[in-house]
Amino acid sequence: MPRSVPLRRTLAALLLSCALLAGTTACGDSGDSAGGNTTSASPAADHSAASPSASAERQRLAKTRFVANAGLAAGATYQWIVKPYRAGTFEKGAEGRTFALVKAGLAGGFAYNRLKAAAENAKGDPLLSKAVAPLTAGIASLKGLGTKLRKGEAGEGEVGAFESVIDSIKNAGKDAGAEVKDKVPSTSQLTG
């Protein structure tokens, strides 16, 4: 004996079909609404009109990403490298030294990674790109410092190098209209 489909299922399938049909119709090409053919000049005009706004959007996103990445690098550096170093936590015999060194090593690697990303983001904005370009050598010099921090081999020079690069990035961002504020990443962000 054939089994009838419940009314609710039929109604749900009908509504879903109508919604999909309406969605695909709404997403169709609206350039031919009068039924006539469009001229070849119209798509070119649309493309040139969209290009400046797309470029402005790309620049805005470049600044936003730069600020986010540089802020995370600055927060990690100050929270887990500079502050513990100044408090004497990295010195031999200090309470919590091992944990602080491991966190500093992770923060150093994290900060280096975020600074590289910030420098890459800066390339999307002409003013920011010019401001950050001279700092890429300083960022590159931080590459192995995370390991030195973790091993307890870092001193005033290494901590100062991180602090100097962070301050330079912040100043470059401020000069280009992208002010960077410290944002302390979570421990899971450092390890992930």
Side-chain angles (χ1 to χ4, degrees):
M1 172 169 170
R3 193 170 166 182
S4 65
V5 178
L7 181 62
R8 278 195 267 179
R9 284 188 186 172
T10 306
L11 186 58
L14 181 62
L15 287 173
L16 183 60
S17 299
C18 289
L20 288 173
L21 182 62
T24 57
T25 304
C27 293
D29 183 20
S30 63
D32 194 19
S33 60
N37 292 333
T38 58
T39 62
S40 61
S42 178
D46 289 344
H47 178 67
S48 65
S51 182
S53 66
S55 176
E57 182 70 15
R58 203 171 20 248
Q59 287 179 6
R60 186 178 66 78
L61 289 175
K63 277 188 176 181
T64 303
R65 289 179 180 143
F66 169 81
V67 168
N69 283 319
L72 285 169
T77 298
Y78 288 121
Q79 182 69 28
W80 289 303
I81 297 173
V82 175
K83 284 172 52 176
Y85 180 79
R86 289 186 181 154
T89 310
F90 295 165
E91 295 174 7
K92 290 187 182 205
E95 187 176 329
R97 177 178 188 256
T98 304
F99 185 65
L101 289 174
V102 169
K103 260 192 163 176
L106 290 172
F110 178 83
Y112 169 72
N113 183 293
R114 294 298 86 210
L115 286 172
K116 277 184 17 180
E120 190 64 32
N121 297 140
K123 292 177 183 177
D125 180 73
L127 185 60
L128 195 54
S129 179
K130 289 178 186 173
V132 173
L135 305 174
T136 54
I139 294 170
S141 71
L142 300 177
K143 187 173 185 176
L145 292 184
T147 305
K148 285 181 94 172
L149 284 165
R150 189 171 25 93
K151 291 180 179 179
E153 300 170 354
E156 180 67 33
E158 287 79 12
V159 172
F162 263 108
E163 201 168 16
S164 174
V165 170
I166 293 292
D167 289 341
S168 298
I169 288 286
K170 284 177 144 182
N171 290 333
K174 188 174 183 178
D175 292 345
E179 189 171 350
V180 176
K181 296 184 183 203
D182 293 6
K183 181 171 180 1
V184 178
S186 66
T187 306
S188 64
Q189 285 178 305
L190 288 181
T191 59

